[in-house]
Amino acid sequence: CPRCGRDFEWRAKWASHWEDVRYCSERCRRRRLGKTDRALEAAIVELLEARRGSTICPSEAARRVSPNDWRGLMGRTRDAARRLVSRGHVEILQQNRVVDPTAARGPIRLRLTARRDA
């Protein structure tokens, strides 16, 4: 999904127009990407490039975009991280292991992918 970065699969109700399906849900279709979403993606990439070979917490990117209301951006920050994973720029880690971004629950860390980092 271009909005939340989650993978989604074919559903019977979409059978007649599967080629036209772009979003995983009605909610994602209504909530288009905005300036804040792009700023979160940029913040993640900038922080990771500044710390070559290290990881960041998604809250660091949220704090950079909105220092006073960063907690309210955490869901959108995780969405931004999933979008970057789908483009091959970032990896999501839990307990120092790469995890499937759609299955990650709880605290996560982000790092640049190996091929982008090289």
Side-chain angles (χ1 to χ4, degrees):
C1 178
R3 169 64 185 88
C4 67
R6 290 185 172 96
D7 292 334
F8 60 96
E9 297 176 2
W10 182 89
R11 295 182 188 166
K13 69 180 184 178
W14 295 337
S16 62
H17 59 282
W18 175 244
E19 295 78 26
D20 299 325
V21 175
R22 299 284 177 252
Y23 299 95
C24 67
S25 66
E26 186 66 23
R27 179 177 175 244
C28 282
R29 187 184 66 76
R30 277 192 230 119
R31 290 179 57 207
R32 302 288 168 111
L33 294 178
K35 282 193 261 185
T36 303
D37 300 302
R38 299 287 181 214
L40 287 167
E41 288 179 19
I44 289 170
V45 172
E46 288 170 11
L47 286 166
L48 288 171
E49 287 178 346
R51 298 185 196 171
R52 286 251 181 238
S54 188
T55 64
I56 65 162
C57 178
S59 65
E60 295 175 58
R63 282 186 181 108
R64 180 174 274 200
V65 171
S66 179
N68 297 324
D69 186 32
W70 64 271
R71 282 187 177 90
L73 290 179
M74 287 306 296
R76 292 170 77 175
T77 306
R78 289 174 78 107
D79 289 348
R82 280 193 297 268
R83 287 192 300 272
L84 291 169
V85 167
S86 69
R87 290 186 214 138
H89 298 305
V90 172
E91 294 175 324
I92 294 179
L93 298 102
Q94 285 186 316
Q95 297 179 351
N96 229 11
R97 284 185 230 118
V98 177
V99 295
D100 175 20
T102 58
R105 302 284 182 262
I108 61 172
R109 302 286 297 177
L110 307 174
R111 75 174 175 204
L112 289 175
T113 59
R115 69 172 183 255
R116 182 178 165 102
D117 194 32

